[in-house]
Amino acid sequence: MIPFSPPTLTEDDIEAVVSVLRSGWITTGPVGREFEAALTAYTGCAGTVTLSSATAALELALRLCDVGPGDEVIVPAYTYTATAAVVHHVGASIVVVDTEPGSCTPSPERVLAAVSPRTKAVITVDLAGVPFDTRPLAEALTGQGSRAGGLQQRLDRPVLIADAAHSLGARLDHAAVGEVADLTAFSFHAVKNLTTAEGGALQWRTGLPADHDDIERSLRLLSLHGQSKDALAKTTGTSWEYDIEVLGWKANMPDVLAALGLSQLARYDSIVERRLEMVSLYQEGLSDTGITLLPHQQPGLRSSAHLAIATLPVPGVEERNAFIDQMRHCGVATNVHYKPLPMLTAYKRLGLDISRYPHAASFYATEVTLPLHMALTDDDIARVCHAARTALPGSR
Ligand SMILES: Cc1ncc(COP(=O)(O)O)c(C=O)c1O
């Protein structure tokens, strides 16, 4: 069986983790700080705080910006639940926008049409690793800031938060993801391009009109019970005594996981290169089948090639699901990214109705995600292309 997305760990990765296990300090500490500095240097952003997940990073981004009851946050219909659930968790209203026809993302114009005086933030999604360009939104929204203080007042517009769970290493023109939106949330979950088993990070961009030391301090407080000293500072400092400054959450990344991320970051450019190469091999191998892959490289845009999202030349969901079954018979694991939010029970309960999101629904109906991971050989990709050819309805 060709698996969908197993992690690829090297002896160096294992050694890095073992060395933290032997060090006598396994939770948040010096290795985490080193990983944060390396991530900041990697994207060229202003600062990074590592966390327990991208979900935590998105939620703390909203809390950092004082988003809460009475506020609205815009999210796309075509994403994983984490993008929107965090909006509900902070007590704000989720405003969902459809994608463009034939696409899995909305245009900036569609996002702008959903902005109201209550919009405090917009969460865009770099689906499959393809970066969403927030710069036109930043320009068009300027002048629509809150008068209630906070980052929205200083920016004079709603805050733009990138859900970059898929897109570490992606670039728009000369800016890496991390330097484009105001705040950027990354995931290091087990299936991601770079993994710490579970983990995430929040970055803030250069030039954000805020005190950057304050941002870092607030995020550390929010992610560790609002405690004025972390465990290491309590152990190694001159005094045990600490305060609880805010009622915070618990979302810090331990050093034992940071070591895994730091080790992979050292070879991460070559990981993205190989993933982009594999997407090109799929594009070539499937070019005469009617199966089209989401583009991952265009002038001024480079994706991190996280997911090989493909559109099948089939009429709808039934035939797409039959294709997936047929691929499994041929020994190839595939997946679907994503069932649009308004089709899921919890979101239906919030009043969302898929009939109002026809483009997301139709993209979903014929979408399939092909395997994409570092253990795939060129021969494996040829096998997947062959299986896909035979799994299409006309060829059975
Ligand atoms: C688009 C998107 N956003 C957010 C997340 C949440 O990431 P995490 O599992 O690190 O919380 C995921 C996870 O797969 C995702 O795909």
Side-chain angles (χ1 to χ4, degrees), residues 127-131 169-173 269-284 293-309 372:
L127 202 78
V130 180
R171 303 187 72 84
L172 276 166
D173 297 319
D269 274 337
S270 66
I271 292 177
V272 174
E273 283 305 323
R274 172 62 185 155
R275 297 183 78 101
L276 286 166
E277 186 181 55
M278 288 188 278
V279 170
S280 299
L281 289 174
Y282 273 137
Q283 279 161 340
E284 279 164 38
L293 265 96
L294 199 68
H296 285 262
Q297 288 190 86
Q298 283 170 349
L301 180 152
R302 187 187 86 153
S303 157
S304 65
H306 176 54
L307 294 174
I309 284 189
L372 189 61

Side-chain angles (χ1 to χ4, degrees), residues 289-328:
T289 60
I291 300 175
T292 52
L293 265 96
L294 199 68
H296 285 262
Q297 288 190 86
Q298 283 170 349
L301 180 152
R302 187 187 86 153
S303 157
S304 65
H306 176 54
L307 294 174
I309 284 189
T311 300
L312 301 178
V314 296
V317 171
E318 211 175 297
E319 295 80 2
R320 187 271 312 277
N321 289 347
F323 175 92
I324 289 174
D325 288 344
Q326 195 59 29
M327 290 293 273
R328 192 174 302 119

